[in-house]
Amino acid sequence: MGEYQHVFGPIFSRRLGLSLGISPITGKSCSCSCIYCQLGRTKSLSMERKSFFPVKDIINEFKDYLSQGADFDTVTIVGEGEPTLSLDLKELIMELKKYTDKPIAVITNGTLMINESVREALFEADIVLPSLDAFNELSFREINRPHEDATFANLVNGLKEFSNNYSGQLWLEVMLVKDVNDGEADLIAIKKIIDDINCDKVYINTPVRPPAEGFVKEPTKDTVEMAIEILGGISLDNLVTGTFYSNIEDDYEAVLAIIKRHPMNQYEIREFLKSRNCSKKQEIDVFKQLESNNELDIVRFKNCSNYRYK
Ligand code: SF4
């Protein structure tokens, strides 16, 4: 089978190991347009839940992937945007569980967790990874730039309510942006909110890929240390390590299929091509094709070229 529409990866994730991605939504649909988003600005800002694709189609792709015997550690429902916008999330998780014993994780911005049916869908997942970057309404609007119907109070209340009734693993993620939410007082305010959420882990992340907005900067190492201390968190290392994988035969198409869902930098592309035993000439060809593809943005960030869809 060629490129899948819903199944991608697996991609190595520090938290989830070899993570096989499942996208149940169209890109990029999200209830936020975070200033640090690696996918760029949100094209379709929405709080409206709907059926994007028949669950059957997603499951058929998943079954096809499984039939090839490729390995993975986790199935991660993520997509290019906010997966809880999918009305079929609960059914999707339940169906996926019929075909795999591997943990099912959902990465979410948490804005729809105030909605009971969203919480019920997420109860089916083994691991839920919501974001909590803000400490009040103003900072929520500044960092996450949510849809006008999303409020910070609802985000926090949804998280609390969910955490009190969830039996799986709840791992919060705090993305630190320099001079936006990384001050000591900001971190103490975030910690107060976290104390009321019954979560198992707090991960601290920093923008390591080109963000949606050029003004987004990484916090200093000292600040990250302070955040670890105040939040009692675990720092995610700056670079996604490990290998990417694709079942697409053509090297260029394989790189494109990954970039579609997960931006890559030049070193990651090189490593990926090396893992497929590409020669230097093949590697140069792939980069030439990437550079002449008008659908891609090539962004210089952290001293290397990063490739992502426009
Ligand atoms: S980071 Fe996540 S929640 Fe924020 S805009 Fe991007 S996809 Fe949406």
Side-chain angles (χ1 to χ4, degrees), residues 28-42 45 78-83 107-110 131 133 143-144 175:
K28 166 191 173 181
S29 306
C30 194
S31 48
C32 291
S33 184
C34 302
I35 55 175
Y36 58 75
C37 185
Q38 62 177 14
L39 300 168
R41 289 183 192 156
T42 296
L45 188 68
V78 52
E80 308 140 76
E82 175 50 40
I107 296 182
T108 172
N109 62 28
S131 299
D133 313 319
I143 305 166
N144 304 108
M175 175 69 87

Side-chain angles (χ1 to χ4, degrees), residues 36 38 175-176 178 205-211 213-214 216-221 224 236-240 264-268 298-308:
Y36 58 75
Q38 62 177 14
M175 175 69 87
L176 292 182
K178 189 172 192 290
N205 207 354
T206 58
V208 289
R209 292 181 187 281
E213 305 303 336
V216 167
K217 297 281 175 274
E218 270 189 281
T220 62
K221 283 208 165 65
V224 175
L236 285 168
D237 278 355
N238 278 356
L239 270 184
V240 174
M264 293 170 93
N265 68 36
Q266 66 189 84
Y267 302 112
E268 289 165 336
I298 304 172
V299 189
R300 289 294 294 175
F301 186 71
K302 290 172 77 78
N303 291 329
C304 68
S305 296
N306 292 264
Y307 298 76
R308 73 178 181 203

Side-chain angles (χ1 to χ4, degrees), residues 242-243 266-276 283:
T243 48
Q266 66 189 84
Y267 302 112
E268 289 165 336
I269 295 172
R270 214 164 273 153
E271 279 306 307
F272 171 68
L273 295 174
K274 230 194 258 170
S275 75
R276 293 164 66 101
E283 184 187 307

Side-chain angles (χ1 to χ4, degrees), residues 82-198:
E82 175 50 40
T84 61
L85 285 174
S86 166
L87 256 186
D88 308 313
L89 185 62
K90 183 172 180 176
E91 184 191 343
L92 174 63
I93 298 172
M94 290 168 75
E95 282 297 310
L96 287 167
K97 280 180 164 175
K98 289 185 187 164
Y99 300 98
T100 181
D101 292 335
K102 299 284 170 71
I104 313 278
V106 181
I107 296 182
T108 172
N109 62 28
T111 50
L112 285 99
M113 282 166 101
I114 192 69
N115 179 331
E116 193 180 352
S117 59
V118 169
R119 293 198 300 274
E120 273 171 10
L122 292 172
F123 285 152
E124 299 297 329
D126 301 291
I127 311 169
V128 174
L129 302 100
S131 299
L132 179 67
D133 313 319
F135 46 89
N136 59 21
E137 186 68 36
L138 202 66
S139 65
F140 182 45
R141 306 254 146 226
E142 189 182 6
I143 305 166
N144 304 108
R145 300 189 300 194
H147 186 275
E148 58 183 1
D149 292 344
T151 66
F152 188 63
N154 277 350
L155 168 70
V156 172
N157 289 334
L159 277 168
K160 279 187 204 165
E161 182 71 27
F162 179 75
S163 74
N164 288 333
N165 296 290
Y166 181 51
S167 55
Q169 286 285 307
L170 184 63
W171 300 349
L172 282 182
E173 178 181 314
V174 180
M175 175 69 87
L176 292 182
V177 179
K178 189 172 192 290
D179 298 334
V180 176
N181 66 344
D182 70 339
E184 191 174 356
D186 307 342
L187 296 169
I188 290 170
I190 294 174
K191 170 67 173 159
K192 270 199 182 140
I193 296 163
I194 290 177
D195 283 344
D196 286 337
I197 298 168
N198 190 10

